[in-house]
Amino acid sequence: MQRQIFTEEHDAFRETVRAFLAKEVLPHYEQWERDGIVSRDAWLAAGRAGLLGLAVPEEYGGGGSTDFRYSAVLAEEFTRAGAAGLAIGLHNDIIGPYLTGLATDEQKRRWLPGFCSGETITAIAMTEPGAGSDLQGIRTTAEDRGDHWLLNGSKTFISNGILADLVIVVAKTTPEGGAKGLSLIVVERGAEGFERGRNLDKIGQKSQDTAELFFNDVRVPKENLLGERDGAFIHLMTNLAQERMGIAVAGIAAAEHLLEITTQYVKEREAFGRPLSKLQHIRFEIAEMATECAVTRTFLDRCIVDHSDGVLDAVHASMAKWWATELQKRVADRCLQLHGGYGYMSEYRVAKAFTDGRIQTIYGGTTEIMKEIIGRSLLA
């Protein structure tokens, strides 16, 4: 079906993204995968290309547009290219709203120009060894010492953890913590007592640096509180819909791309003297996946438009995230199966998509959490 949500401006932006990927990312990507981290030069190149800070006001060097369709184009093209390591979506769509929506004018002047140029790479640190989706379990503390916060604790599975120059840390600022006692504290590179652990060895997205972070009596200036004291829970809930939409958009784009390359593969690959595509079982598999992708795409495009218009609610964002990522997982598994032994070879796109995409049903809120959010809304 012909998509109808994009304008000529979005199409032109898509060409810009594709040119950027071809020049600045794909020639270096295999090396980044071996290194376990992308080059900082790629972030600077993304800044020069106007791909960072799409929603940041122009006065700080950003694009000045809150139209989520541009973010959707980025997510789709990076997914089709298999370039998950350069985590621009995390930077723009997850961390960006915290800085544009919560930062003071002084904080914006300090942080946003570098955010848009690629000189300041960002991360957000929520997950801890004993607290994942459950924010009530956060143990990292930020103690008010008058002229500064004293930060202690540890975080894990932090995307951009090695490269990050600016880390938004979720910490307890009251003894009980939980929904009423968490705050967002911004820690900058070089702060004494702020240490990075190992770059974690993942099964996929090898070039996306994911780290453990440690905070040992880190003195953080009082002016690095982001948003309201003890207001982190509300701030986090406000921005989760966009995070989940970004993941969902990547999910359906991945499923569609896998279907595309697998359809071509079964036309070319022969078994028993004829192409695989001549076998009824193969045709049924392709037909089922194509139908599931088409139905999901229709729903996702509606969600993209609604989010751009500011009317998408958390429940429908959760539906989109759950359904699109679970579809991605199913399609990746079935497409790998249709490739046979070749699907298990790392040089084949389907094998990389299988491992890179497996995290999609976990981060940003697991599938189980998405179902809980939807179920509560219906049965409250």
Side-chain angles (χ1 to χ4, degrees), residues 8-176:
E8 290 182 0
E9 287 77 12
H10 298 112
D11 294 338
F13 181 68
R14 190 180 297 275
E15 292 305 314
T16 297
V17 177
R18 288 177 176 175
F20 170 80
L21 285 164
K23 180 182 179 182
E24 305 289 353
V25 176
L26 296 181
H28 313 291
Y29 202 75
E30 287 187 9
Q31 185 61 52
W32 296 346
E33 289 278 278
R34 289 191 292 269
D35 294 342
I37 196 167
V38 306
S39 167
R40 293 187 73 95
D41 290 340
W43 283 92
L44 296 173
R48 291 192 297 271
L51 304 186
L52 303 181
L54 301 178
V56 172
E58 293 180 5
E59 63 185 289
Y60 301 110
S65 173
T66 57
D67 184 350
F68 184 73
R69 288 174 293 180
Y70 288 104
S71 292
V73 168
L74 265 175
E76 289 172 4
E77 293 305 317
F78 269 71
T79 298
R80 287 182 62 86
L86 184 57
I88 288 180
L90 166 68
H91 186 78
N92 281 345
D93 301 326
I94 298 176
I95 296 160
Y98 290 102
L99 299 181
T100 56
L102 299 176
T104 65
D105 289 342
E106 185 276 330
Q107 289 172 334
K108 290 177 181 177
R109 288 192 296 270
R110 243 195 310 155
W111 296 328
L112 287 179
F115 180 93
C116 296
S117 70
E119 295 170 278
T120 301
I121 300 170
T122 57
I124 184 164
M126 286 187 274
T127 304
E128 297 185 2
S133 297
D134 180 16
L135 295 177
Q136 308 280 351
I138 284 178
R139 295 182 178 181
T140 297
T141 61
E143 184 182 347
D144 188 345
R145 290 294 184 90
D147 62 343
H148 67 274
W149 301 100
L150 192 67
L151 187 65
N152 282 283
S154 64
K155 302 288 183 177
T156 193
F157 308 144
I158 307 305
S159 301
N160 284 355
I162 300 295
L163 282 174
D165 306 292
L166 204 70
V167 182
I168 301 174
V169 180
V170 183
K172 289 168 55 175
T173 40
T174 62
E176 62 272 17

Side-chain angles (χ1 to χ4, degrees), residues 129-339:
S133 297
D134 180 16
L135 295 177
Q136 308 280 351
I138 284 178
R139 295 182 178 181
T140 297
T141 61
E143 184 182 347
D144 188 345
R145 290 294 184 90
D147 62 343
H148 67 274
W149 301 100
L150 192 67
L151 187 65
N152 282 283
S154 64
K155 302 288 183 177
T156 193
F157 308 144
I158 307 305
S159 301
N160 284 355
I162 300 295
L163 282 174
D165 306 292
L166 204 70
V167 182
I168 301 174
V169 180
V170 183
K172 289 168 55 175
T173 40
T174 62
E176 62 272 17
K180 298 181 180 180
L182 300 174
S183 300
L184 304 179
I185 308 293
V186 179
V187 180
E188 298 176 75
R189 177 180 288 278
E192 186 175 352
F194 170 32
E195 299 177 1
R196 301 164 207 261
R198 59 198 174 100
N199 191 352
L200 300 172
D201 184 15
K202 310 183 297 296
I203 65 170
Q205 298 192 13
K206 294 285 189 178
S207 58
Q208 205 292 300
D209 58 301
T210 304
E212 301 166 315
L213 304 180
F214 302 98
F215 308 95
N216 301 301
D217 287 338
V218 181
R219 295 167 61 97
V220 182
K222 265 305 189 53
E223 56 267 27
N224 279 25
L225 173 69
L226 187 63
E228 296 293 326
R229 177 172 179 168
D230 301 331
F233 191 82
I234 298 300
H235 298 328
L236 293 167
M237 294 304 104
T238 300
N239 288 312
L240 278 175
Q242 176 151 299
E243 176 179 359
R244 288 164 182 165
M245 273 304 300
I247 296 170
V249 169
I252 182 58
E256 290 171 334
H257 184 55
L258 284 166
L259 175 62
E260 179 184 322
I261 62 177
T262 303
T263 300
Q264 187 60 38
Y265 178 82
V266 298
K267 289 179 180 178
E268 298 170 352
R269 177 69 174 168
E270 290 192 357
F272 308 107
R274 57 179 176 164
L276 289 175
S277 58
K278 298 298 183 181
L279 301 174
Q280 186 183 64
H281 171 74
I282 302 297
R283 293 200 299 272
F284 280 9
E285 287 280 347
I286 296 295
E288 289 175 11
M289 289 188 287
T291 302
E292 289 179 310
C293 284
V295 172
T296 303
R297 166 55 65 198
T298 302
F299 177 63
L300 258 292
D301 276 1
R302 169 63 186 270
C303 289
I304 289 170
V305 172
D306 281 357
H307 188 54
S308 295
D309 293 340
V311 296
L312 183 71
D313 60 26
V315 172
H316 284 86
S318 296
M319 289 179 177
K321 200 271 182 184
W322 160 37
W323 190 261
T325 58
E326 288 291 340
L327 174 64
Q328 176 186 0
K329 186 171 70 173
R330 291 196 306 274
V331 169
D333 185 69
R334 293 165 82 179
C335 287
L336 190 151
Q337 185 74 19
L338 291 179
H339 276 72

